[in-house]
């Protein structure tokens, strides 16, 4: 059975494509207008991990240490990623997935996350995504919601 460290290594192979910097289980991509944080978190019950995705537009929350401290927080399984993966099953380390298949799929997930964040590096791109309903399941601080609605 894969460990959280194994998942981190597989995810890192995909996230490196976006130039994301890793420290422990957290990856960062700081742009001029938008900063992104991806955090591989261990869930408290069972052999499961989750991927939290945090966004800090226009410098808000840039000092956040992990995704859940950002003014905009999403979960990987709720993102509109252009791939057919069952993210919840993939991150359940006790599921029947073989280690080699899981590692390959987690790397694909990392690549998809890399494309997702690099495709939303400007305020205008975030506003467009917000207008199309991409962030319906996300936590948005009032300031970020106001910022995103300003472009609608």
């Amino acid at each position: 059975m894969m460990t959280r460290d194994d998942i981190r290594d597989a995810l890192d192979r995909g996230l490196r494509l976006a130039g994301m910097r890793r420290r422990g289980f957290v990856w960062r991509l700081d742009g001029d207008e938008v900063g992104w944080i991806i955090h591989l978190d261990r869930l408290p019950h069972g052999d499961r991990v989750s991927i939290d995705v945090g966004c800090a537009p226009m410098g808000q929350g840039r000092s956040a240490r992990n995704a859940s401290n950002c003014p905009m927080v999403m979960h990987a399984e709720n993102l509109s990623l252009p791939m057919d993966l069952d993210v919840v099953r993939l991150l359940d380390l006790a599921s029947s997935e073989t280690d080699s298949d899981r590692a390959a799929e987690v790397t694909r997930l990392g690549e998809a996350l890399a494309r997702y964040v690099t495709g939303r590096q400007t305020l205008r791109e975030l506003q467009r995504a917000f207008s199309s309903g991409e962030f319906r399941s996300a936590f948005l601080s009032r300031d970020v919601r106001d910022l995103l609605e300003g472009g609608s």
Side-chain angles (χ1 to χ4, degrees):
M1 179 167 66
M2 290 183 78
T3 65
R4 183 176 175 220
D5 290 349
D6 297 327
I7 296 293
R8 177 203 57 209
D9 296 344
L11 192 59
D12 188 56
R13 286 190 287 276
L15 291 174
R16 267 190 260 150
L17 296 176
M20 296 193 87
R21 294 174 291 118
R22 180 177 68 84
R23 184 168 187 189
F25 294 91
V26 176
W27 291 261
R28 298 184 78 92
L29 180 66
D30 293 315
D32 292 336
E33 295 182 38
V34 178
W36 288 94
I37 297 176
I38 295 179
H39 179 211
L40 179 63
D41 198 11
R42 182 185 339 238
L43 296 176
H45 303 290
D47 294 319
R48 296 178 47 217
V49 295
S50 70
I51 299 174
D52 301 327
V53 180
C55 181
M58 303 306 287
Q60 299 181 27
R62 286 289 176 109
S63 61
R65 293 176 51 99
N66 61 44
S68 61
N69 297 125
C70 288
M72 188 172 165
V73 182
M74 299 154 276
H75 300 285
E77 64 268 17
N78 296 329
L79 295 177
S80 55
L81 300 175
M83 57 191 316
D84 182 30
L85 279 180
D86 182 350
V87 176
V88 174
R89 183 185 50 76
L90 189 61
L91 298 178
D92 178 357
L93 304 181
S95 71
S96 62
E97 196 90 24
T98 68
D99 286 354
S100 60
D101 287 346
R102 186 184 317 276
E105 294 298 291
V106 169
T107 298
R108 277 187 56 224
L109 175 59
E111 292 167 355
L113 286 167
R115 286 189 299 277
Y116 186 87
V117 300
T118 56
R120 289 151 189 83
Q121 280 293 99
T122 67
L123 179 58
R124 184 169 202 84
E125 290 163 342
L126 278 183
Q127 288 169 330
R128 199 170 318 145
F130 177 79
S131 294
S132 73
E134 275 189 37
F135 305 136
R136 271 184 234 127
S137 68
F139 163 80
L140 303 173
S141 72
R142 182 180 309 256
D143 291 341
V144 166
R145 184 173 299 280
D146 291 346
L147 184 67
L148 295 178
E149 286 174 344
S152 300

